[in-house]
Amino acid sequence: MPRRLFNLSLITLVLLCAAGLRFRALSLDARFHPDEALFSTFARNAAVHGDWMLHGPLDKSPLSIYAAALSMHFVGAFITEDGVIDVPVRQGEFAARLPNVLAGVLTIAVAYALAKRVTPRDPTVWLIAALLMAVSPMAVGISASAFTDTFMLLFGVGSALAAASGHTGWSGMLLALSIASKQQGIFFLPLTMGISWRSLRSGRSKKVFGFASAFGGGLALLLLWDWMRGETSIFALASVNNNPGRLLTSPEEWWPRLRQWAQHAWTMFGGAGATVALIMIAIYACFVKDFEPQSTHRTRRGVQSKILALFASWRSNTLQAILGVFALAYFALHWIGALNLYDRYLLPLVPLIALLVASGMVRLMYRKQAFALPVIALILTVVVLGVGAAGRVNHANEDDAQGILELAAYLNAKPLGTILYDHWLGWQMGYYLGAWTDKRRVYYPDPETQAQDALCNPDPAPRYLIAPDGANVLPWLTAFRDNDFDVQGVYGLRGFRAYKIIPPWAFQGGGDAESSWQAPAGCADLPVSRSG
């Protein structure tokens, strides 16, 4: 069998393995993380109500949400007996996550092509890099989710590949698409610029203009879309939801943040031990040449010779060094910078570390055959750990809110216009109540404001306070009771609770008392029933 056909067969097997793990994770019966629920609600509004401008408080770029909306339209939607489009919540979960699964598999193929550009002489590096990414529990879990990170990564790695191939115009366009999937795609900019500068041999001015025009044009279209929505800018909301008012964290935060960031990192390749071993090999790959150096530096002695040899090795592995420096800078930025530390923010490092690890492994085996068996054993260990962890993937990386379906069904059975006081479950209930719910969800930031506003609202519709089991509801119930409401626990099942909130006039003589009820002093200064 020709070598090229053999390599093609192996990468096909790797991609099939990656697809199998991701579809297996997609098939798990897992409810949405709050962020997934928010993005999927916007996608469903587009698919069902035709709201393709995604009106509402959105802080993410639209491309990933549009992919979920199109998937809902073609996979999850149906026409009801009333002649309207609807997307059942279970089908919507599958449909919203499906594009990410496909994008996750495609990302591995793009990362394989990038490995070919970075290390063009050894197909083993390409295959190991693809395999490590295919079985990464972090990559599997986020691919089988409705987060917006997977499309951002696909286009970001694609931009790096185009830069390494000398196609700077395509690189700029793909980078713009990465940002249009999620604003964090901007972090790929220094990587693509570094790779482009290293890869270009001639005509740099023309290539730089091609990159700038494609990237600037794509970014301008995103800004135009953001302006045409007529809402608060997605960039402004993203800034507010992160850490507004500061760029760096204080030194006393550094150790807790490093520990949290490291705990997230251990899940990249199946466990702490395996991930640490792979990262050490990745660091090795940034500084060691493919073969033993043959330069005059070997005849020198002392520290000077070691520094010169290290510099020579760095220059011989420029692309690997660029990947390594970017990975280190990205990690440090999220550690020291005032950025949120979610596990999925580590996803951009997975293909880069996998590529560096693969390069380091092959170099270890080339240098000394005794390293071959330990390296192969480490690869098999990572594969076994990754496959095992993929079978237990939780899309949300938190406790699954399985009981939210029953809570939503219970609330949807209540009369038209029922008021739901919802301080904790807003994004999730926004999705799980369905596209055509007739319930009114209201949110208040504190118990006192909620109770006072409820007292000033003469609406006779039933009222319920809903909460997850872990929420501290006592201050909220106490505030209602202090304002003469009757509070009755009416629901408690599978992690969720509901309390019926009965206004004071409802149990003081029925309709006559209600019609003669007078609003307390100060009600004119309070807003009434802010809907969610």
Side-chain angles (χ1 to χ4, degrees), residues 18-61:
L21 292 175
R22 283 154 179 76
F23 276 103
R24 180 186 181 189
L26 177 63
S27 69
L28 295 178
D29 186 26
R31 306 284 73 79
F32 277 147
H33 177 280
D35 286 356
E36 288 184 282
L38 176 65
F39 306 146
S40 299
T41 301
F42 278 102
R44 186 179 62 191
N45 287 344
V48 172
H49 303 301
D51 184 13
W52 291 96
M53 293 306 292
L54 308 180
H55 292 100
L58 178 65
D59 67 345
K60 291 294 184 291
S61 302

Side-chain angles (χ1 to χ4, degrees), residues 157-210:
V157 176
S159 177
L161 171 61
S165 305
H167 303 304
T168 53
W170 282 102
S171 179
M173 185 190 71
L174 290 169
L175 182 60
L177 289 174
S178 179
I179 299 172
S181 300
K182 186 175 183 178
Q183 292 96 313
Q184 279 87 340
I186 191 63
F187 290 133
F188 284 102
L189 178 60
L191 177 65
T192 56
M193 291 181 65
I195 293 176
S196 296
W197 192 258
R198 169 63 178 80
S199 302
L200 296 179
R201 302 298 183 186
S202 61
R204 281 181 171 171
S205 298
K206 182 178 179 180
K207 295 286 188 178
V208 169
F209 176 78

Side-chain angles (χ1 to χ4, degrees), residues 42-225:
F42 278 102
R44 186 179 62 191
N45 287 344
V48 172
H49 303 301
D51 184 13
W52 291 96
M53 293 306 292
L54 308 180
H55 292 100
L58 178 65
D59 67 345
K60 291 294 184 291
S61 302
L63 200 57
S64 296
I65 298 174
Y66 283 157
L70 290 173
S71 180
M72 286 183 177
H73 175 79
F74 289 108
V75 176
F78 75 103
I79 305 297
T80 68
E81 294 180 355
D82 297 325
V84 298
I85 302 174
D86 197 9
V87 177
V89 292
R90 288 286 190 94
Q91 287 89 324
E93 287 175 339
F94 178 87
R97 290 165 170 160
L98 179 61
N100 278 349
V101 169
L102 302 177
V105 176
L106 184 57
T107 303
I108 297 171
V110 176
Y112 175 83
L114 177 62
K116 292 179 69 174
R117 290 292 179 179
V118 175
T119 57
R121 291 182 293 178
D122 200 329
T124 307
V125 173
W126 318 337
L127 291 168
I128 293 176
L131 179 62
L132 292 176
M133 191 174 176
V135 301
S136 165
M138 178 176 289
V140 171
I142 296 174
S143 292
S145 75
F147 293 124
T148 58
D149 302 76
T150 306
F151 273 89
M152 176 200 71
L153 180 65
L154 170 62
F155 293 122
V157 176
S159 177
L161 171 61
S165 305
H167 303 304
T168 53
W170 282 102
S171 179
M173 185 190 71
L174 290 169
L175 182 60
L177 289 174
S178 179
I179 299 172
S181 300
K182 186 175 183 178
Q183 292 96 313
Q184 279 87 340
I186 191 63
F187 290 133
F188 284 102
L189 178 60
L191 177 65
T192 56
M193 291 181 65
I195 293 176
S196 296
W197 192 258
R198 169 63 178 80
S199 302
L200 296 179
R201 302 298 183 186
S202 61
R204 281 181 171 171
S205 298
K206 182 178 179 180
K207 295 286 188 178
V208 169
F209 176 78
F211 175 89
S213 58
F215 175 66
L219 198 58
L221 289 175
L222 176 61
L223 293 173
L224 177 63
W225 174 88

Side-chain angles (χ1 to χ4, degrees), residues 1-12 127:
M1 179 183 296
R3 180 65 180 269
R4 186 174 181 179
L5 182 59
F6 179 71
N7 291 335
L8 181 61
S9 301
L10 289 179
I11 187 59
T12 300
L127 291 168

Side-chain angles (χ1 to χ4, degrees), residues 474-487:
L474 183 59
W476 303 79
L477 302 181
T478 300
F480 275 124
R481 292 188 176 111
D482 289 345
N483 284 273
D484 298 324
F485 285 84
D486 186 27
V487 178

Side-chain angles (χ1 to χ4, degrees), residues 201-289:
R201 302 298 183 186
S202 61
R204 281 181 171 171
S205 298
K206 182 178 179 180
K207 295 286 188 178
V208 169
F209 176 78
F211 175 89
S213 58
F215 175 66
L219 198 58
L221 289 175
L222 176 61
L223 293 173
L224 177 63
W225 174 88
D226 188 36
W227 174 78
M228 289 178 63
R229 290 177 68 235
E231 303 272 352
T232 302
S233 170
I234 60 173
F235 301 99
L237 277 180
S239 175
V240 170
N241 291 338
N242 202 62
N243 279 290
R246 60 176 186 163
L247 295 177
L248 300 176
T249 55
S250 57
E252 58 266 21
E253 298 178 75
W254 291 354
W255 172 244
R257 286 175 65 87
L258 179 61
R259 184 169 55 189
Q260 181 183 357
W261 204 220
Q263 288 174 347
H264 291 329
W266 301 152
T267 66
M268 285 199 294
F269 296 104
T275 301
V276 169
L278 294 186
I279 290 176
M280 295 301 294
I281 294 174
I283 294 172
Y284 169 84
C286 293
F287 295 100
V288 181
K289 296 196 339 183

